[in-house]
Amino acid sequence: MEQTWWLVFVTFNACVVIYDLRWRRVPNTLLLAAMAMQVLALVVMWTGLVAGTLPGARSPGQSAIGFLLGLAFILFWRLRMMGAGDVKYMAVLGLFTGPWILGLAVLWASVPGAVHALYQVFRMIRQGPKGRSRRGVPYAAYIALAVLSVALMPSSSPWCSLSSSFCFTGP
């Protein structure tokens, strides 16, 4: 079950990176499929059909909190700072990972996202109205890359040890 979960998780995030960098959108069908897979995995684990735990969120409660935390970013959508696909992706990612890993992913992804946004602002200042980009910042791609870098990090690395001890024990 754990290998299947990792396969779905990595494939989902890789698809988000590709779609968001290439087309600056995250398809609803991809989000719904990933959400259905995670809910199915949670139900299978919760009912005891398969023994063990999932690598991400440890319980349906953690998944629900992560989902709601990701959905809370709708405020940034209302302020026109994020796209709706980015917010929906973060909600589904929270369903997979729970609140701690989602929070770390947002924190780590904020650096390249901010650099990209500043680049666009400086370009617009320098070139005037013609320098304004019609394409937004691919926040979902940056968050997915941050999550994938943690997921694929060797467990023997010191950074992985520090991150995993924080994520799985909580503050």
Side-chain angles (χ1 to χ4, degrees), residues 1 10 13 43 61 79 84 111 150:
M1 180 74 175
V10 170
N13 282 293
V43 167
L79 294 172
V111 174
V150 171

Short mmCIF file of all heavy atoms in Angstrom, two decimals, residues 1 10 13 43 61 79 84 111 150:
data_model
loop_
_atom_site.label_atom_id
_atom_site.label_comp_id
_atom_site.label_asym_id
_atom_site.label_seq_id
_atom_site.Cartn_x
_atom_site.Cartn_y
_atom_site.Cartn_z
N MET A 1 0.82 -1.20 0.00
CA MET A 1 0.00 0.00 0.00
C MET A 1 0.87 1.26 0.00
O MET A 1 0.54 2.23 -0.65
CB MET A 1 -0.92 -0.04 1.23
CG MET A 1 -1.84 1.13 1.36
SD MET A 1 -3.15 1.05 0.18
CE MET A 1 -4.13 2.41 0.66
N VAL A 10 3.83 10.98 -6.10
CA VAL A 10 4.89 11.53 -6.96
C VAL A 10 4.34 11.83 -8.35
O VAL A 10 4.63 12.89 -8.93
CB VAL A 10 6.10 10.58 -7.01
CG1 VAL A 10 7.09 11.00 -8.08
CG2 VAL A 10 6.79 10.52 -5.64
N ASN A 13 2.13 15.04 -8.22
CA ASN A 13 2.91 16.27 -8.09
C ASN A 13 3.73 16.55 -9.35
O ASN A 13 3.89 17.71 -9.73
CB ASN A 13 3.80 16.21 -6.85
CG ASN A 13 3.00 16.49 -5.60
OD1 ASN A 13 2.51 17.58 -5.41
ND2 ASN A 13 2.84 15.47 -4.76
N VAL A 43 -9.79 5.58 3.52
CA VAL A 43 -10.89 4.67 3.90
C VAL A 43 -10.36 3.25 4.07
O VAL A 43 -10.70 2.57 5.04
CB VAL A 43 -12.02 4.72 2.84
CG1 VAL A 43 -13.01 3.59 3.03
CG2 VAL A 43 -12.73 6.07 2.90
N GLY A 61 -8.36 12.68 10.34
CA GLY A 61 -8.40 13.99 10.98
C GLY A 61 -7.27 14.90 10.49
O GLY A 61 -7.49 16.08 10.21
N LEU A 79 -7.86 37.99 -3.01
CA LEU A 79 -7.03 39.19 -3.14
C LEU A 79 -6.29 39.22 -4.48
O LEU A 79 -5.47 40.11 -4.71
CB LEU A 79 -6.01 39.25 -2.00
CG LEU A 79 -6.60 39.43 -0.60
CD1 LEU A 79 -5.52 39.27 0.46
CD2 LEU A 79 -7.29 40.78 -0.49
N ALA A 84 -7.00 30.15 -8.72
CA ALA A 84 -7.90 29.17 -8.11
C ALA A 84 -7.30 27.77 -8.16
O ALA A 84 -7.45 26.98 -7.23
CB ALA A 84 -9.26 29.19 -8.80
N VAL A 111 10.11 30.96 -1.33
CA VAL A 111 11.33 31.62 -1.80
C VAL A 111 11.36 31.70 -3.33
O VAL A 111 11.46 32.80 -3.89
CB VAL A 111 12.59 30.94 -1.22
CG1 VAL A 111 13.85 31.53 -1.82
CG2 VAL A 111 12.60 31.06 0.29
N VAL A 150 11.46 17.04 -0.99
CA VAL A 150 11.47 16.41 0.33
C VAL A 150 11.15 14.93 0.21
O VAL A 150 11.78 14.09 0.85
CB VAL A 150 10.47 17.12 1.27
CG1 VAL A 150 10.31 16.35 2.56
CG2 VAL A 150 10.92 18.53 1.54
#
